[in-house]
Amino acid sequence: MDVFQQLEAMRKRILQEIYTEFDAFAECLREQMSEGIDPCAYALPYDMQYPLTAGAGIFKGKKPTSAVIEGETVELRTWRQLVEEIMKRCMADPKYRNALYRQAGKVSGRKRALLANSGKGMRSPMLLGENLYLETHYDTETLLNILMIRILRPIGYDFSSILVTVRNG
């Protein structure tokens, strides 16, 4: 099977998932309407789940409710908690912990260090381990980009399977 056939097969699978979700939603609306409930009379907040790799911009303006990391669902209320949970798992693995310590002092933003041996000069330092701090005083998009692109990717940590549930509405 060549690349184009694989892409076409992938597209068909994705579209089938979308059609299935829309059909289920339409059936739910039909049931509500048959019971005399106007589904358009109210709109409740709802949760959506996205892979962390979907791009940090998709999370802007949304609140996290949970994340699935290494198959475990973790309840969250803030983006900082998500970063803390991911970094806690990194620090638990000697390979990634050592890589993070080697990166300390080498990862900087425009005005301050992002990962350093001291929290001095950071506005919201997160203690990762003994003499290891991560700056977290950023908006959602910037914080997640720093986490993925500047911290995790260089040390080889695979974050591609992390799913984040956010509250919409």
Side-chain angles (χ1 to χ4, degrees), residues 10-24:
M10 185 186 306
R11 179 165 57 135
K12 286 180 182 178
R13 282 193 311 273
I14 291 169
L15 286 173
Q16 185 58 50
E17 282 186 51
I18 292 169
Y19 295 149
T20 301
E21 288 294 320
F22 269 88
D23 289 346

Side-chain angles (χ1 to χ4, degrees), residues 77-167:
R77 289 192 336 252
T78 67
W79 293 108
R80 192 177 195 277
Q81 286 178 324
L82 172 67
V83 171
E84 190 170 27
E85 186 64 35
I86 293 169
M87 296 309 294
K88 180 176 80 174
R89 290 163 191 264
C90 278
M91 292 298 288
D93 185 319
K95 171 185 165 186
Y96 299 121
R97 182 176 55 246
N98 292 336
L100 286 168
Y101 275 107
R102 283 192 303 274
Q103 289 292 97
K106 298 176 184 173
V107 183
S108 296
R110 284 185 222 155
K111 297 181 181 177
R112 57 190 182 267
L114 302 175
L115 186 66
N117 297 114
S118 165
K120 189 175 181 178
M122 293 183 179
R123 291 184 67 182
S124 298
M126 176 186 291
L127 178 63
L128 302 178
E130 189 177 329
N131 297 320
L132 187 63
Y133 296 84
L134 175 68
E135 174 62 271
T136 61
H137 188 81
Y138 293 100
D139 64 85
T140 301
E141 186 175 8
T142 304
L143 180 62
L144 294 178
N145 278 328
I146 288 169
L147 175 69
M148 292 184 289
I149 298 166
R150 306 285 308 279
I151 307 294
L152 299 178
R153 191 175 290 156
I155 65 169
Y157 185 84
D158 182 14
F159 52 89
S160 65
S161 63
I162 296 175
L163 300 172
V164 181
T165 303
V166 294
R167 174 66 38 103

Side-chain angles (χ1 to χ4, degrees), residues 43-89:
L44 296 174
Y46 58 95
D47 291 350
M48 290 289 295
Q49 191 173 65
Y50 301 98
L52 184 60
T53 56
I58 200 167
F59 299 115
K60 198 170 195 167
K62 295 179 174 69
K63 292 279 188 193
T65 59
S66 67
V68 178
I69 307 170
E70 299 171 0
E72 180 187 346
T73 301
V74 180
E75 300 299 318
L76 306 166
R77 289 192 336 252
T78 67
W79 293 108
R80 192 177 195 277
Q81 286 178 324
L82 172 67
V83 171
E84 190 170 27
E85 186 64 35
I86 293 169
M87 296 309 294
K88 180 176 80 174
R89 290 163 191 264

Side-chain angles (χ1 to χ4, degrees), residues 16-39:
Q16 185 58 50
E17 282 186 51
I18 292 169
Y19 295 149
T20 301
E21 288 294 320
F22 269 88
D23 289 346
F25 185 64
E27 183 58 34
C28 179
L29 291 176
R30 275 191 212 90
E31 286 176 17
Q32 288 180 354
M33 292 171 72
S34 71
E35 294 171 6
I37 300 170
D38 179 7

